């Protein structure tokens, strides 16, 4: 990662818009303009990838009457619009074209197809599901899944195993919201200090380091009034000790969220000892290995 992004302000995870995401708002162009107005010289836009099948839709997509084919069609229009905006605003901001993964059954084949078709600048590797159940949609679904697996600890372990497999196969430039499994857990700080859980955290961080990948300093929890961004302080400190690059991600879902707290995040990361010379994104070839 020798190339450097020529912008102090950066977000490489976010830019979700109401045009292309049911749980976001505003036009993508208005979001790009918001970054420009806030002094960004570069930004990465990373919309969610479409699910492989109808049974894997988010509840809000079902409520709005979408099918998996509809979401794919919308995703095609997303890249068309991203290309248009990249050209239109090229004198004002460098736009990196990306998407964010969903690790549902069949995701690897889907991701490989999308990467071949759209040639993104990078991919954000995220986990929102365990055993095909979306755990971050509500506290009820999170707890139901933990109960189904046997305990909250079992949910954390399953999440970290799914994350490890995703990182190993996809090798995404950005590993997104590393510890989002804590989203509905008020005891997450003590939970991560459980030896079995921390062992898997260490394992996953080591893989990120060995593959030369990055993590995002995901600011969305702060916008909800929570105390810590993703990842939480213990994991963030360990990433710093391991010299893993950590790059701001506002995880914005509308114009008013674009770039929020990024200046503060840059200052915080610098004060913690992270480099704020942001490595330029890359996208490694991703092919499904034959079993």
């Amino acid at each position: 990662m020798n190339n450097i992004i020529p912008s102090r302000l950066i977000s490489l995870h976010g830019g979700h818009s109401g045009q292309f995401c049911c749980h976001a708002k505003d036009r993508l162009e208005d979001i790009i303009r918001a970054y420009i107005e806030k002094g960004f010289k570069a930004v990465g836009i990373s919309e969610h990838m479409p699910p492989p099948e109808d049974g894997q839709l988010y509840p809000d997509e079902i409520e709005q009457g979408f099918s998996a084919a509809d979401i794919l069609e919308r995703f095609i229009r997303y890249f068309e619009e991203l290309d248009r905006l990249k050209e239109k605003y090229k004198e004002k901001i460098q736009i990196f074209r990306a998407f964010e993964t969903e690790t549902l059954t069949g995701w690897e084949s889907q991701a490989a197809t999308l990467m071949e078709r759209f040639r993104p600048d990078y991919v954000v590797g995220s986990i929102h599901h365990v055993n095909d159940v979306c755990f971050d949609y509500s506290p009820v679904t999170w707890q139901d899944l933990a109960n189904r697996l046997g305990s909250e600890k079992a949910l954390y372990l399953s999440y970290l195993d799914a994350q490890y497999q995703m990182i190993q196969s996809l090798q995404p430039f950005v590993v997104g919201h590393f510890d989002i499994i804590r989203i509905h857990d008020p005891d997450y700080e003590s939970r991560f200090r459980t030896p079995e859980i921390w062992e898997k955290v260490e394992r996953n961080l080591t893989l990120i380091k060995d593959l030369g990948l990055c993590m995002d300093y995901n600011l969305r929890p702060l916008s909800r009034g929570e105390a810590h961004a993703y990842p939480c302080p213990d994991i963030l400190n360990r990433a710093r000790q391991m010299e893993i690059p950590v790059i701001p991600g506002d995880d914005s879902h509308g114009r008013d969220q674009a770039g929020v707290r990024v200046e503060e995040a840059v200052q915080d990361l610098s004060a913690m000892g992270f480099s704020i010379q942001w490595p330029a994104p890359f996208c490694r070839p991703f092919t499904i290995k034959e079993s």
Side-chain angles (χ1 to χ4, degrees):
M1 292 188 288
N2 296 321
N3 295 328
I4 301 299
I5 298 172
S7 180
R8 184 172 183 274
L9 296 177
I10 192 69
S11 171
L12 289 184
H13 186 173
H16 302 294
S17 69
Q19 270 182 285
F20 307 111
C21 177
C22 290
H23 56 275
K25 60 183 181 179
D26 302 325
R27 296 187 312 146
L28 183 54
E29 183 162 5
D30 291 334
I31 292 172
I32 295 297
R33 286 175 175 170
Y35 284 117
I36 294 170
E37 290 166 4
K38 293 177 181 179
F40 282 65
K41 302 300 181 185
V43 69
I45 305 298
S46 53
E47 193 54 83
H48 295 280
M49 66 179 274
E53 300 176 1
D54 286 346
Q56 300 166 335
L57 295 165
Y58 280 110
D60 51 14
E61 294 169 340
I62 296 172
E63 290 171 8
Q64 295 186 36
F66 284 102
S67 66
D70 294 330
I71 303 299
L72 175 58
E73 178 60 32
R74 187 176 67 176
F75 191 76
I76 294 169
R77 289 187 280 107
Y78 159 69
F79 267 97
E80 290 173 348
E81 177 68 354
L82 203 52
D83 288 339
R84 183 184 75 84
L85 297 174
K86 183 180 177 73
E87 176 64 23
K88 181 175 180 178
Y89 293 103
K90 64 182 179 181
E91 301 301 325
K92 296 182 178 180
I93 191 168
Q94 182 177 14
I95 299 174
F96 295 106
R97 303 159 61 260
F99 67 84
E100 183 178 3
T101 60
E102 303 286 358
T103 51
L104 294 149
T105 297
W107 77 270
E108 290 177 302
S109 177
Q110 178 85 325
T113 298
L114 296 173
M115 290 168 72
E116 175 67 24
R117 179 170 182 177
F118 297 105
R119 304 288 181 175
D121 296 313
Y122 70 100
V123 173
V124 176
S126 295
I127 305 285
H128 302 96
H129 302 77
V130 168
N131 294 350
D132 283 351
V133 176
C134 180
F135 60 78
D136 68 349
Y137 196 77
S138 75
V140 172
T141 57
W142 188 96
Q143 191 62 57
D144 284 350
L145 182 56
N147 294 342
R148 200 179 311 174
L149 292 170
S151 66
E152 290 82 3
K153 183 175 82 171
L155 175 56
Y156 274 65
L157 295 175
S158 295
Y159 167 84
L160 289 165
D161 283 345
Q163 184 183 66
Y164 183 84
Q165 293 167 9
M166 178 275 294
I167 296 169
Q168 190 174 52
S169 60
L170 181 62
Q171 299 186 28
F173 176 71
V174 175
V175 177
H177 40 54
F178 181 93
D179 57 347
I180 194 177
I181 192 61
R182 66 171 166 93
I183 187 169
H184 300 301
D185 183 9
D187 300 321
Y188 63 84
E189 290 187 275
S190 61
R191 194 94 59 198
F192 275 117
R193 291 169 185 157
T194 303
E196 291 170 86
I197 294 175
W198 188 254
E199 181 180 354
K200 290 183 184 288
V201 168
E202 286 270 0
R203 176 200 62 184
N204 291 12
L205 291 175
T206 298
L207 182 60
I208 292 170
K209 174 64 177 178
D210 289 347
L211 292 174
L213 309 177
C214 303
M215 295 165 60
D216 73 332
Y217 186 53
N218 189 293
L219 307 173
R220 188 152 179 80
L222 303 183
S223 71
R224 296 193 295 255
E226 299 173 26
H228 301 132
Y230 301 125
C232 63
D234 285 352
I235 298 174
L236 190 61
N237 286 333
R238 187 65 184 121
R240 178 185 52 78
Q241 292 167 2
M242 297 174 73
E243 299 183 335
I244 295 171
V246 175
I247 304 175
D250 57 26
D251 209 345
S252 59
H253 284 66
R255 175 183 170 84
D256 61 340
Q257 298 172 13
V260 171
R261 292 183 179 266
V262 169
E263 177 64 50
E264 177 185 339
V266 173
Q267 294 175 10
D268 289 347
L269 290 171
S270 180
M272 283 184 276
F274 287 97
S275 171
I276 58 171
Q277 296 291 305
W278 316 121
F282 58 75
C283 192
R284 290 175 176 159
F286 178 43
T287 55
I288 308 304
K289 295 179 180 179
E290 298 293 334
S291 59

